[in-house]
Amino acid sequence: MARNKEQTHQLITDLIIQKYGDSVILQESVLEGEVFQEKRGTSDLSTSEFMELVNEAQMFASEVFNIAIPDPNQVESID
C-alpha cells in the first residue's frame, strides 16, 4: 500500500508511542472531568522534545527494521 508523507509520519509516530510510551508526544487533557491522552503535533514540540522524538525514532528503526537513521545535521535535505 502506497503511503503519502503525512500518512507515513502518522504511522511512525503511532508506532513509537506504542513501543516507547512516548511522553513527549502524548499530553493529558481533562474534558468534563475525564482525563485522556492526546497526541501533540511535532510542530508543537520544543527543540529538546523534538530531538528526543528523533532519538526514539532512530532507536525504533534500528530495533524494528535494522536500519540506522542519521542525525538531522548529518544529511542533506531530500525535498
Side-chain angles (χ1 to χ4, degrees), residues 56-73:
E56 290 178 1
Q58 290 168 322
M59 289 189 305
F60 177 80
S62 176
E63 293 173 11
V64 175
F65 300 115
N66 199 32
I67 59 171
I69 297 175
D71 289 335
N73 62 346

Side-chain angles (χ1 to χ4, degrees), residues 50-51 54-59 68-76:
F50 185 77
M51 292 310 298
V54 168
N55 184 53
E56 290 178 1
Q58 290 168 322
M59 289 189 305
I69 297 175
D71 289 335
N73 62 346
Q74 293 178 323
V75 295
E76 294 180 23

